[in-house]
Amino acid sequence: MKKQETDSAKKASKAPRKPRTKVLPIIKNDPWLEPYAEAITGRHQDAIAKEAELTSASGSLSEFANAHEYFGLHRLPTGGWVVREWAPNATAISLIGDFSGWKELKKYAFKRLDGGVWELKLRPADLAHGQLYKMLVHWPGGEGERIPAYARRVVQDENTHIFSAQVWAPEQPYKWRHRSFRPDTKPLLIYECHIGMAQEREGVGTYDEFRTNVLPRIAADGYNAIQIMAIQEHPYYGSFGYHVSSFFAASSRFGTPDELKALIDEAHGMGIAVIMDIVHSHAVKNEVEGLGRLDGSYDLYFYGDGRREHPAWDSLCFDYGKNEVLHFLLSNCKYWLAEFHFDGFRFDGVTSMLYYNHGLGQAFGGYGDYYNGAQDTNAITYLTLANKLIHQVNRHAITIAEEMSGMPGLALPVADGGIGFDYRMAMGIPDYWIKTLKEKKDEDWHPTSIFWELTNRRADEKTISYVESHDQALVGDKTVIFRLIDEKMYWHMMKDDNDMTVARGIALHKLIRLVTLATINGGYLNFMGNEFGHPEWIDFPREGNGWGYKYARRQWSLVDSEELKYKFLQAWDNAMIELVSDIYNFQALPVRDLWKKDDDQVLAFMRGDYVFVFNFNPAKSFDGYGILAPGGSYETVLSSDNPDFGGYDNIDVTTEHLTIHDPLYAPAGVEWLKLYLPSRTAIVLRKK
């Protein structure tokens, strides 16, 4: 070898090696993701880089996410007031309100600071608790009244229906009674609810009514979490709370901020976590009430191009690439946790955020659909940072993604290469049940299909399983019970009425709910009233129904009546919730497939010491039906045929079941468990 070549080789051997990129656990645990490692790692690095950029001065996301402490209206330690707003396109801003006769006065004019920030300082006597205010914003070529972006209280005039911000500074701040609450998530059992429609009277319910009348029902039903819709202020009640105008204001339709705090405090005292349905996927288009053109520009918080308006929702899309927008949204997450003691969030419309096309009209048939460049990396970065922040503020907080595309890693820890949600909604399950009820005859319900749909999920991500949420009950659709029974609910729900359509509906309602709950790997969700088969749909006041509230309420008197069959479904729901609640970490127990026979329509599986057996057959009852299970003695702990649940008492729940040895199956460690399985029934056995 020539000397020159030898020297070159020595130099090469001493040259620093390029550091090897760490393989993220999400890729290690799923070999099918290896072709997309560069995209996954790139997203992960994007979030790390953005976090470093945002926290370079503060040191942490939690310290960074304090925009709500700077912007908006605040009382100063001296007793005076300060108002700040980010409005770079404004040329002048004045505070107007009932204190100024709604006129522009010099003493209420803001000063412009650096970075497009405006500030107004006032004496103690210039503002008072309860007064109404807005900003009058001037910009090149125009002006308009605006509600501050960080307003913490917004109210609507009963006569004019105009919204205004309100000074909310009570002399005595709310005193929390339960400060050390920690959610129970083993398993997480969610009762989804809406404050305004939680009462029976035709009207809008209140925080106090919910706390007094509904919370005790939820506690008695055994649910350990409530997920509240429509908390953030929204101009149109019929939007179900999904067209938000004021992101830091709890809806005043239902009462005061302190009354919401009292509700959350009371829930914590009952052992119930409170999850907020947070909307960061879009915002209302309204300009006077919302953020649409707060400073006259079109691109302050939202995209200024063709991406500004959501093509399906008639709303505006946030520009997640702007640091000021990240500051606003991240601070919003921290605000609700710190100020109101919410225990976490269900993020609405996550699919819409993840994709440039909002996931509209896309099938998502393979992994390539998640890494083809059609993903909004800025939105993915925001969601990753939001999850990281939320768990910094409260390490026991719960985050849930409403997401239907199935993007891998959504509910994986950020450190593993995921986006950081604790759970994702299993949105395919309610779709499956609706499709089954609409398109299949009872004799075509196949256990293999049911079991696959309920257990087909990523092993490393937890899901929230559910039969129906509020979505399945909205006007234009039907609840599960209404699909099963339809108009006969109006005439044949008396206890002594033996209508066969009602009997079928009640039987299948019970089976559908139990098999969905029994196969969870994270949590279970039920929408308010559906546990007892609340009739009809949800239809909020609108022009098409005469602005009526007939279908925007819950008829609790139906389940309270001893003469109606709704109480059977309620009792069944209570029993199955109690069953899984009493099995610690039920959601983490492996689901062991024992038996699936489509021609018999019989399904059996095991979790821990519990065997769940379902006979979906509409015509056949089986005596001495054999399934293969671990050898031993079994006792019945739950039967849908119990008369308390609307059954016919054909199953003797006192019978002890001893398995029968079969040398053919001995090597597998299973024996024959012989059971009586009436048509359309479910039983749960426990191995003694």
Side-chain angles (χ1 to χ4, degrees), residues 526-600:
N526 165 70
F527 179 68
M528 176 174 66
N530 287 350
E531 71 277 7
F532 66 82
H534 194 284
E536 300 168 334
W537 54 88
I538 299 167
D539 188 11
F540 272 62
R542 57 187 174 87
E543 188 175 1
N545 64 17
W547 302 101
Y549 290 85
K550 182 179 179 181
Y551 299 109
R553 60 193 180 111
R554 297 286 91 177
Q555 299 180 60
W556 304 107
S557 58
L558 295 175
V559 71
D560 291 341
S561 172
E562 290 297 321
E563 304 305 317
L564 298 174
K565 294 183 177 181
Y566 296 100
K567 70 171 192 171
F568 295 145
L569 296 177
Q570 172 89 52
W572 173 253
D573 197 81
N574 292 171
M576 67 179 200
I577 291 292
E578 182 181 12
L579 175 71
V580 301
S581 298
D582 288 344
I583 305 170
Y584 178 74
N585 238 6
F586 174 81
Q587 80 292 343
L589 297 172
V591 182
R592 179 177 176 181
D593 179 11
L594 298 181
W595 191 266
K596 298 191 297 286
K597 205 165 190 303
D598 285 348
D599 50 352
D600 291 337

Side-chain angles (χ1 to χ4, degrees), residues 30-98:
D30 186 351
W32 291 99
L33 287 175
E34 287 180 3
Y36 312 103
E38 185 177 352
I40 295 169
T41 303
R43 293 175 188 176
H44 183 69
Q45 293 300 327
D46 284 347
I48 292 174
K50 180 57 71 173
E51 181 181 2
E53 178 189 346
L54 297 178
T55 61
S56 59
S58 61
S60 73
L61 280 174
S62 184
E63 289 300 316
F64 167 76
N66 284 322
H68 55 290
E69 297 297 340
Y70 179 76
F71 292 107
L73 171 66
H74 300 281
R75 191 190 287 274
L76 294 169
T78 57
W81 306 86
V82 63
V83 194
R84 298 188 188 94
E85 191 72 28
W86 176 56
N89 189 55
T91 56
I93 302 177
S94 290
L95 200 70
I96 59 173
D98 47 15

Side-chain angles (χ1 to χ4, degrees), residues 313-609:
W313 294 347
D314 192 33
S315 55
L316 303 179
C317 299
F318 284 106
D319 182 352
Y320 304 105
K322 272 190 172 183
N323 286 355
E324 294 87 352
V325 173
L326 295 181
H327 201 198
F328 178 82
L329 295 175
L330 289 171
S331 299
N332 193 236
C333 294
K334 182 177 179 180
Y335 168 74
W336 291 107
L337 292 172
E339 181 69 23
F340 285 87
H341 295 199
F342 277 100
D343 299 295
F345 305 101
R346 178 262 201 188
F347 277 73
D348 179 70
V350 171
T351 305
S352 177
M353 300 171 71
L354 294 177
Y355 304 95
Y356 292 127
N357 66 359
H358 306 293
L360 298 172
Q362 196 168 336
F364 299 102
Y367 276 1
D369 292 334
Y370 308 119
Y371 308 104
N372 59 7
Q375 294 72 39
D376 188 335
T377 53
N378 289 332
I380 292 171
T381 294
Y382 165 65
L383 290 170
T384 305
L385 296 182
N387 276 290
K388 198 166 184 180
L389 163 74
I390 290 162
H391 292 103
Q392 275 184 16
V393 176
N394 178 2
R395 64 191 181 95
H396 301 300
I398 299 161
T399 59
I400 305 168
E402 189 223 17
E403 207 284 315
M404 50 73 61
S405 78
M407 178 180 282
L410 192 70
L412 272 183
V414 175
D416 291 351
I419 296 178
F421 286 98
D422 297 304
Y423 305 88
R424 65 192 312 156
M425 301 291 289
M427 298 183 73
I429 293 177
D431 290 344
Y432 173 82
W433 286 124
I434 289 173
K435 187 177 177 68
T436 299
L437 291 168
K438 286 174 66 174
E439 300 178 7
K440 291 189 177 182
K441 298 177 181 178
D442 290 5
E443 55 267 30
D444 293 331
W445 288 30
H446 293 155
T448 52
S449 171
I450 293 169
F451 188 75
W452 186 88
E453 183 63 45
L454 296 178
T455 58
N456 175 36
R457 56 212 172 198
R458 296 183 63 82
D460 53 358
E461 298 190 46
K462 294 183 291 186
T463 61
I464 302 295
S465 300
Y466 59 110
V467 176
E468 52 188 340
S469 67
H470 70 273
D471 283 329
Q472 284 69 43
L474 287 170
V475 64
D477 208 337
K478 293 182 180 181
T479 59
V480 167
I481 196 68
F482 215 62
R483 288 187 185 281
L484 288 165
I485 302 178
D486 219 297
E487 77 279 355
K488 290 204 172 186
M489 292 193 76
Y490 300 127
W491 318 108
H492 298 284
M493 288 295 282
M494 296 296 290
K495 247 182 10 176
D496 57 354
D497 192 318
N498 296 317
D499 183 88
M500 293 310 296
T501 299
V502 172
R504 167 188 174 266
I506 288 178
L508 290 177
H509 196 269
K510 291 184 289 185
L511 268 61
I512 290 170
R513 273 167 160 66
L514 179 62
V515 74
T516 303
L517 171 62
T519 48
I520 61 171
N521 78 327
Y524 175 78
L525 177 140
N526 165 70
F527 179 68
M528 176 174 66
N530 287 350
E531 71 277 7
F532 66 82
H534 194 284
E536 300 168 334
W537 54 88
I538 299 167
D539 188 11
F540 272 62
R542 57 187 174 87
E543 188 175 1
N545 64 17
W547 302 101
Y549 290 85
K550 182 179 179 181
Y551 299 109
R553 60 193 180 111
R554 297 286 91 177
Q555 299 180 60
W556 304 107
S557 58
L558 295 175
V559 71
D560 291 341
S561 172
E562 290 297 321
E563 304 305 317
L564 298 174
K565 294 183 177 181
Y566 296 100
K567 70 171 192 171
F568 295 145
L569 296 177
Q570 172 89 52
W572 173 253
D573 197 81
N574 292 171
M576 67 179 200
I577 291 292
E578 182 181 12
L579 175 71
V580 301
S581 298
D582 288 344
I583 305 170
Y584 178 74
N585 238 6
F586 174 81
Q587 80 292 343
L589 297 172
V591 182
R592 179 177 176 181
D593 179 11
L594 298 181
W595 191 266
K596 298 191 297 286
K597 205 165 190 303
D598 285 348
D599 50 352
D600 291 337
Q601 295 183 267
V602 174
L603 169 66
F605 54 87
M606 194 170 189
R607 302 196 78 165
D609 293 330

Side-chain angles (χ1 to χ4, degrees), residues 147-158:
I147 292 176
Y150 289 82
R152 298 191 181 193
R153 171 80 169 162
V154 175
V155 295
Q156 185 179 24
D157 186 278
E158 292 183 2

Side-chain angles (χ1 to χ4, degrees), residues 296-323:
S297 66
Y298 289 89
D299 60 349
L300 184 64
Y301 287 97
F302 311 103
Y303 292 107
D305 54 17
R307 297 182 59 199
R308 185 174 191 265
E309 295 195 18
H310 196 291
W313 294 347
D314 192 33
S315 55
L316 303 179
C317 299
F318 284 106
D319 182 352
Y320 304 105
K322 272 190 172 183
N323 286 355

Side-chain angles (χ1 to χ4, degrees), residues 107-178:
K107 66 182 289 188
Y108 293 108
F110 285 66
K111 282 186 178 181
R112 185 170 192 133
L113 307 180
D114 293 337
V117 176
W118 295 78
E119 181 183 79
L120 169 64
K121 289 185 177 180
L122 297 167
R123 296 172 303 173
D126 289 335
L127 286 179
H129 173 68
Q131 288 186 312
L132 303 179
Y133 68 96
K134 289 182 183 179
M135 301 184 304
L136 183 57
V137 183
H138 299 263
W139 57 81
E143 64 178 53
E145 293 183 359
R146 296 291 185 263
I147 292 176
Y150 289 82
R152 298 191 181 193
R153 171 80 169 162
V154 175
V155 295
Q156 185 179 24
D157 186 278
E158 292 183 2
N159 299 315
T160 65
H161 305 297
I162 293 173
F163 283 87
S164 303
Q166 184 178 44
V167 179
W168 191 257
E171 288 186 15
Q172 295 296 328
Y174 183 82
K175 293 183 179 179
W176 293 90
R177 292 178 293 120
H178 305 97

